[in-house]
Amino acid sequence: MSDETKLDSGEANNDTVHTNFIEDIIDADLKAGKNAGKVATRFPPEPNGYLHIGHAKSICLNFGVAKKYNGICNLRFDDTNPETEETEYVEAIKDDIRWLGFEWDGLYFASDYFDAMYDHAMTLVKDGKAYVESLTPDEIRQYRGDFNTPGKNSPYRDRPVDENIEMFEKMKAGEYKDGEICLRAKIDMQSPNMNLRDPIVYRIRHARHHRTGDKWCIYPMYDWAHGLEDSIEGITHSLCTLEFENHRPLYDWFLEQLPVHHPQQIEFARLNLNYTVMSKRKLLQLVKENHVDGWDDPRMPTICGMRRRGVSPSSLRKFSDRIGMAKRENVADIALLEHVMREDLNETSPRLMGVINPLKVEIENYPKDKEEFFEAPLHPEDDRWGSRQIPFCRELYIEQDDFKEDPPKKWFRLSPGTEIRLRYACLITCKEVVKDQNGNVEKLICTWDPESRGGNAPDGRKVKGTSHWVSARHAEKITVRQYDRLFNVENPNKVEEGQNWLENLNPNSLEILTGCYAEPYIRELKPEARIQFERIGYFVADRYDFTPETPIFNRTVTLRDSWAKIEKNQGSANRGQKKQPQPAKNQKKTDSTAPAEITIDDFAKLDLRVGTIKEASLVEGADKLLQLQVDIGAGKPRQVFAGIRKRFENPEEIIGKNVIVVANLKPRQMKFGLSEGMVLAAGGKENRLELAEVLGDTLPGDTVS
RNA sequence: UGGGACGUAGGCCAAUUGGUAGGCCCCAGGUUUUUGGUACCUGUCAUUGCAGGUUCGAGUCCUGCCGUCCCAGCCA
């Protein structure tokens, strides 16, 4: 089933019950008879990077609105800056949008309109509403003023119209160098809105454009271009993100000066996702510095990355619906994304069996040479998928996690003497554990109940545990790439002064396992086939690397694992004797792996020492940091960077103080140098912050306890 | 410090436009189950940023505070 047909069947969009504020506006417009009852939107990417899930939100919005109102949605590349844009991105963006399940009505480029834009600009010049500026970029900045200072009119502001026309023509003809002059709109240098202080309309760039080649050496600025693009295409509602709110008066101003259609700009809040980064700059850096394997690395929040991860287009659309649409800044929870991924994949993925960490099982009462097949449905809730035959023989693999020699409470998987079901096959009982010299479990000797074919015992005895398995003789060796969140912390952008956001990367975000086994049916799969390995998770046959001979699977998302939760809760219950009083119902996911309390032993690991501050100085380029040299009685003083500058703007005053230093902290390489410890201070905010001092007769190096 | 926006549960979004706060995710429990999956059920969680005012009645209207975000590119 193609994703397009799925979209048409409405499974993705029809669970939105409420309208959003944008649809409310459109409803009102329609009711008022605006735009002759038409709705036209557009998705306007700049072809200078790959699309990410934030763009997906915008794509779903624009195409979704058009569809809902029987309107149109164009794809328009906003290619007004030749220096950063490339054709390579154009094709990638088109692929991503189609894959997401949308088809544009018109395909356009801003560069298609360069002639019209130039003509309109000339109109502005002739009307005395634009002038050629001869100030340098630096002077322009100075003349613009700042938030508190009104701008000053440029000396060229009243250049005669004829001269403006002539210079603008020469500008177009290439008679000036980059940055030498530019065209500015004559609006209001005193405006509190900086965008209205005579914004630049055209700048000179002697650069080759990916579509128009060398035809132009002047290129329109965003504010000038965008409204015209929308106008030319007859867009009715121009949807963009919040940061363009301040630009709307300019968007409107330009269009009001011309006898053209005037679309309405409406801003919405962009998508932020926790545990990831979304800015083009940071994504580029991840790629360039090889923290990931490229733009389509399955850990990337790019559309092509998620595609390679095995995320389905419909789950991305569903996610886009579920997060809603509003004007307030937001951070969506990646747990919601994972939830819709599972929800979608549960319905659409055939089930297979694969063993990630194999443990050999020998069925001692099963004949050595015998083989047989068990039939198993490909989907337990949807028999349209049909079934497949799974081979079985004396030697099998099960998951290491499904056996424990000393089972904990509530364990109903395999352990010595217990019986479990091999899914869709039979019941087995563990008779013996074979170990190697090091005491590692090497193999399990089991017996099977021949009466339990298919997995049910005729005597009706209940067997609670069910394990997945693979016949050793028939197993296909597969490679599994287990992906996890790229970052360890909810907000990777939030870093201490001097710390780098890259330090928040999750070092375990990729684990490649080569010794895995799967049932033979995987030979039937094609690249990009999404499957579930039962009881483990959803996987996808890698788009590029998978072949029947080199079966490589990417883990899309694990199944929910309630046993892991039980185990974890048991663990923390044992540690704290009684059940932890849930400290906060909002237990953050970041903290959930760390124990809620530490013991005295943990605390004793801290080597706290008295230290005398010998030197203290401001750190240039860091408005929170002080650089300290602290004598802790160990010969060479320790260099410590402390975020206390707001309190001690004059560092001199803390020299000589006896403070408490964490002496056995692993040194951290900061932008400014190595920080070899930490000083303790009290107070959360800078405006009430005091160093913890040791008073009385103590010497550097004395222990603090 | 000027201007523009935004504040509803741990997160995200609703609230018939002035009628007494609801859904999804998360979290905790339970039922069903040949996936400790799915599905279903239950529960925890909000004096709607704060303080006043108008009104029989305010999340919605008014006033004043507070907090957060955006804007000083010849980027988009």
Side-chain angles (χ1 to χ4, degrees), chain A residues 275-286:
Chain A
Y275 295 100
T276 192
V277 294
M278 210 74 96
S279 86
K280 261 181 198 173
R281 203 198 96 235
K282 284 180 176 157
L283 294 177
L284 181 68
Q285 193 179 345
L286 287 172

Side-chain angles (χ1 to χ4, degrees), chain A residues 660-672:
Chain A
I660 303 173
V661 180
V662 183
N664 61 338
L665 204 62
K666 187 180 172 194
R668 166 178 277 174
Q669 185 61 50
M670 302 176 81
K671 201 162 87 190
F672 314 100

